[in-house]
Amino acid sequence: MVPYDLYRLLQCPTCGSRDLIVTDGGVACAACSADYPRHDGYIDFMPRGLAFDYVSKYVSEEEELAHELDYRDLAPPLLAAGVRNRTLRRLLDLRPTDIVLDSGCGNAKFAAWNADRVHLMVGVDPATLFADDAVKTVALIQGDARRLPFADCTFDKAFSIDVLEHFPRDVIDAYLAETARVLRPGGRFLVFSNTREPSRLQPLVDASRWLGRQFVRAGVYDFEREARRKSDHVKALATWEDVLDAVQRAGLRPVRVVFWNSVFTSFVEHVLMKLGEAFVGRGRKKGANHAGEASSDLAAPVGEGTAREIRARRRMRAHLQRRGLVYYALLAVTLLMELDLWLFGRLRSGSYFVVVEKPGRAERKER
Ligand SMILES: [Zn+2]
């Protein structure tokens, strides 16, 4: 959506002017005369006349990935996404007056899940593969995180989920500096990403992986879709020191960190859920005419593993909307995964949630 409140925050991403004119078709800059057209549910605010070296895979292969990412329908926040979302809420303390930025929002699921908790939720991504629910509830911008179309000190909070690991170092620096610019003094920014650091509990993680491989070998399931999804991870911030160095260089102060050693999580992801998926997504005999499961949707050339997973997800979603037994079973599994954070959150590992703060006098009193 493009709410009225969004217009007050904007500045031209090309020349930095705040002298913008709302037109019938979108927004125009009075200073550099760039045009930013409004599309169905979002405004195209990509900086004009600038060519960046780095373009995310999600942008360059947008069409191809659109099908595979299965981005349009949102399930409730469960499993790994559920843990991220619960931790986001816990660490960022969203308030009804907050103006919040999700930079690199992807399909904007985290923004959509939290939009009703804040005054204004804004999602920015260069690719426009937005979920239908996000289009309804989130102020969406097609934009580049290195040149955000917002005035300085606009946002109370910001978050970045599964973004940094995709960027080379210079892009990370530009991304963090730009986020710091649009955050108000005292504003907080939550980052979830991962370094290359192994967990000290790695043997336990490896045990689940080993078990998962046995099922792959037996042909019960595969990890085809996961492999695609992680294929452009650069992890330029290789260690936790690199992360601290990067945020501090952007003028941000770390205030809280929770590591995610995926002991329970990897058992759930490599064994428990894949078995469930193989069961729910098997064949097409049963339930092939479930709502929203037109078989032509899967006509694009994806592997059987991917097709099975998408099929399983769609069938699950139909169940989840009803908040029945399946929903509560998956919520229980989500809480089992979250146990990793409660038990091992202080034990350094590759995956981390870090909350950083933009220093300044306008700090609000803590509870
Ligand atoms: Zn301009």
Side-chain angles (χ1 to χ4, degrees):
M1 65 174 186
V2 184
Y4 178 77
D5 277 351
L6 178 66
Y7 290 105
R8 298 183 302 117
L9 316 178
L10 296 171
Q11 80 174 29
C12 176
T14 304
C15 75
S17 168
R18 295 211 62 196
D19 197 358
L20 299 177
I21 304 152
V22 180
T23 65
D24 285 346
V27 174
C29 176
C32 73
S33 63
D35 269 317
Y36 302 105
R38 189 174 52 237
H39 297 282
D40 195 15
Y42 68 93
I43 303 181
D44 167 8
F45 256 111
M46 293 295 280
R48 303 295 191 246
L50 285 171
F52 290 113
D53 289 341
Y54 171 81
V55 177
S56 157
K57 170 179 169 169
Y58 293 100
V59 178
S60 55
E61 298 172 30
E62 182 169 338
E63 295 274 308
E64 188 192 326
L65 280 166
H67 176 79
E68 226 170 288
L69 290 169
D70 192 21
Y71 67 93
R72 293 192 71 114
D73 296 320
L74 286 192
L78 292 165
L79 305 174
V83 175
R84 286 167 173 77
N85 195 53
R86 291 170 56 84
T87 309
L88 163 72
R89 287 181 182 177
R90 183 157 61 88
L91 297 183
L92 210 47
D93 187 24
L94 299 175
R95 294 173 188 211
T97 52
D98 283 342
I99 298 176
V100 182
L101 171 68
D102 180 357
S103 187
C105 64
N107 75 346
K109 58 174 182 277
F110 292 99
W113 285 329
N114 295 286
D116 63 350
R117 301 183 160 233
V118 300
H119 177 65
L120 182 65
M121 181 68 78
V122 179
V124 176
D125 205 278
T128 58
L129 307 174
F130 303 124
D132 294 342
D133 279 354
V135 171
K136 282 182 216 146
T137 60
V138 179
L140 293 168
I141 298 269
Q142 179 182 20
D144 192 296
R146 293 163 286 186
R147 280 291 191 100
L148 292 170
F150 308 110
D152 297 359
C153 309
T154 294
F155 294 95
D156 301 293
K157 313 268 167 67
F159 60 90
S160 163
I161 312 275
D162 297 310
V163 176
L164 291 191
E165 66 270 25
H166 297 279
F167 294 157
R169 183 61 201 255
D170 59 324
V171 177
I172 291 173
D173 287 339
Y175 175 93
L176 293 175
E178 186 67 348
T179 309
R181 180 185 69 80
V182 300
L183 210 54
R184 70 163 168 79
R188 289 191 168 186
F189 175 35
L190 176 131
V191 175
F192 174 72
S193 183
N194 43 81
T195 65
R196 296 172 185 278
E197 286 186 21
S199 164
R200 265 187 278 167
L201 304 173
Q202 195 61 35
L204 292 169
V205 177
D206 290 340
S208 293
R209 295 209 164 135
W210 178 85
L211 197 54
R213 276 200 304 277
Q214 307 314 305
F215 284 113
V216 170
R217 205 165 293 164
V220 180
Y221 53 69
D222 63 53
F223 290 95
E224 183 190 326
R225 197 156 171 257
E226 284 83 352
R228 279 294 301 236
R229 212 158 18 204
K230 286 175 183 168
S231 54
D232 81 332
H233 284 194
V234 184
K235 298 191 184 179
L237 301 178
T239 66
W240 176 239
E241 280 77 18
D242 292 345
V243 176
L244 291 176
D245 176 57
V247 297
Q248 278 156 2
R249 283 216 283 169
L252 297 163
R253 185 167 60 91
V255 290
R256 183 92 190 269
V257 60
V258 177
F259 294 105
W260 191 353
N261 291 272
S262 54
V263 175
F264 294 105
T265 300
S266 59
F267 178 73
V268 167
E269 290 188 332
H270 287 263
V271 182
L272 200 58
M273 287 317 297
K274 296 301 286 187
L275 282 175
E277 234 173 66
F279 178 74
V280 178
R282 73 197 183 285
R284 283 168 183 249
K285 293 149 241 160
K286 232 180 126 189
N289 51 3
H290 252 300
E293 197 196 20
S295 53
S296 60
D297 280 8
L298 292 176
V302 296
E304 171 52 25
T306 301
R308 180 173 55 219
E309 192 189 317
I310 292 176
R311 215 153 49 216
R313 276 169 191 251
R314 286 188 183 161
R315 287 178 191 169
M316 292 306 275
R317 253 179 234 144
H319 285 294
L320 291 174
Q321 301 311 334
R322 292 196 292 273
R323 295 282 153 119
L325 192 62
V326 178
Y327 173 83
Y328 289 103
L330 288 181
L331 182 59
V333 176
T334 307
L335 298 177
L336 175 68
M337 294 167 90
E338 195 181 343
L339 209 50
D340 279 332
L341 303 184
W342 293 106
L343 293 178
F344 315 121
R346 287 164 182 273
L347 196 61
R348 191 164 147 164
S349 79
S351 291
Y352 60 88
F353 296 87
V354 65
V355 179
V356 295
E357 187 175 81
K358 178 171 175 175
R361 8 178 212 98
E363 295 200 18
R364 279 199 266 186
K365 42 185 186 304
E366 296 291 326
R367 275 184 304 180

